Amino acid sequence: MKTLGNKTIFENIGEILAPEHTLLVNWDIQNGLVKNIFNREEFVSNVKKLTGKSRDKGIPVLYTKITPLPFRYMASASIYSFMKRFGVDDPSKLPVFMAPGSDDAEIYHEVAPEKDDYVLNKHTASLFMGTNVDNMLKNAGIKTLIFTGIATEIGVETSVRDAGTLGYYTVVASDSCSSHSKEMHEASLKSMSAVSTVMDTESIIKTLEKK
């Protein structure tokens, strides 16, 4: 570690991933998304291993869930995006994406939350927009966020960039993230490597095992 004025600066991945100031974010690992990703078996296996190791090391785990707002309270640009996604030209024909209580909305059973994990219902593609998460993390002394989840190029990347702007160290578990598109997933990982530490799940676990 180095210091600059009153700041302590971590210099290596071991310091960045110290369990006492790290939190694992399992982003939108919901049935309706898991069934459409390109690497489901590998993805689920890696998330299970990393989540288990995090719990073993006392690292808190936060799950997010897409929780849609009623159309009345949704931005028109968001509705337009859903129209493109579902291929409809009439917004009144839109289904409710990840409708609360539906099977699609539930977190995938193989990586389900446990009693000490926190589940965040949120309405945007950012961990921080419209939530109290920044305040929660700072109250808990969290400095580093490990990210897994779906989709790499949407919510994961948005949240990683927002986290960096807010002053957090970020680590992206490259093979514990996924998308419907392998090409977009890989492009997003390359893009995030400019602002975050991107490494595979096994390397993260080996770092944690030294703690």
Side-chain angles (χ1 to χ4, degrees):
M1 283 183 269
K2 292 284 176 62
T3 59
L4 180 64
N6 66 344
K7 306 297 180 188
T8 298
I9 302 159
F10 303 144
E11 292 186 271
N12 57 60
I13 194 61
E15 292 172 355
I16 290 170
L17 285 175
E20 62 268 21
H21 61 234
T22 297
L23 177 136
L24 175 67
V25 179
N26 284 338
W27 182 267
D28 293 358
I29 308 178
Q30 293 163 271
N31 292 330
L33 300 182
V34 172
K35 66 185 179 184
N36 291 320
I37 60 177
F38 73 88
N39 62 340
R40 179 169 58 187
E41 186 174 332
E42 176 193 31
F43 168 82
V44 171
S45 175
N46 286 332
V47 172
K48 284 174 67 175
K49 288 188 289 187
L50 182 53
T51 303
K53 179 57 66 176
S54 296
R55 290 179 181 135
D56 288 347
K57 291 295 182 178
I59 294 173
V61 182
L62 184 153
Y63 287 79
T64 68
K65 290 181 72 175
I66 296 169
T67 309
L69 290 167
F71 290 130
R72 174 187 292 271
Y73 302 109
M74 193 180 293
S76 60
S78 297
I79 295 172
Y80 172 68
S81 177
F82 279 123
M83 290 171 65
K84 292 199 328 183
R85 181 183 189 129
F86 290 104
V88 301
D89 58 6
D90 181 349
S92 68
K93 296 178 182 177
L94 278 173
V96 177
F97 182 58
M98 296 292 187
S102 69
D103 182 67
D104 275 357
E106 296 307 308
I107 294 171
Y108 193 69
H109 68 282
E110 290 191 44
V111 292
E114 296 187 356
K115 65 180 182 66
D116 291 331
D117 301 332
Y118 188 84
V119 179
L120 175 74
N121 294 303
K122 48 81 184 177
H123 312 301
T124 74
S126 171
L127 181 63
F128 302 97
M129 180 67 70
T131 74
N132 196 38
V133 169
D134 184 40
N135 190 48
M136 290 166 52
L137 297 181
K138 285 174 176 160
N139 286 344
I142 300 299
K143 300 181 186 298
T144 298
L145 304 178
I146 305 171
F147 282 91
T148 78
I150 310 166
T152 314
E153 75 277 10
I154 305 176
V156 173
E157 183 166 354
T158 299
S159 296
V160 165
R161 291 183 179 277
D162 285 353
T165 299
L166 290 166
Y168 296 95
Y169 294 86
T170 59
V171 177
V172 178
S174 58
D175 51 359
S176 288
C177 294
S178 193
S179 169
H180 74 284
S181 166
K182 183 178 180 181
E183 180 181 6
M184 294 180 74
H185 162 79
E186 291 177 346
S188 180
L189 291 177
K190 184 176 181 180
S191 175
M192 284 190 285
S193 68
V195 297
S196 180
T197 300
V198 178
M199 56 196 297
D200 62 68
T201 299
E202 193 59 35
S203 296
I204 296 173
I205 289 173
K206 285 180 178 177
T207 302
L208 294 176
E209 285 175 342
K210 296 175 183 177
K211 301 298 179 182

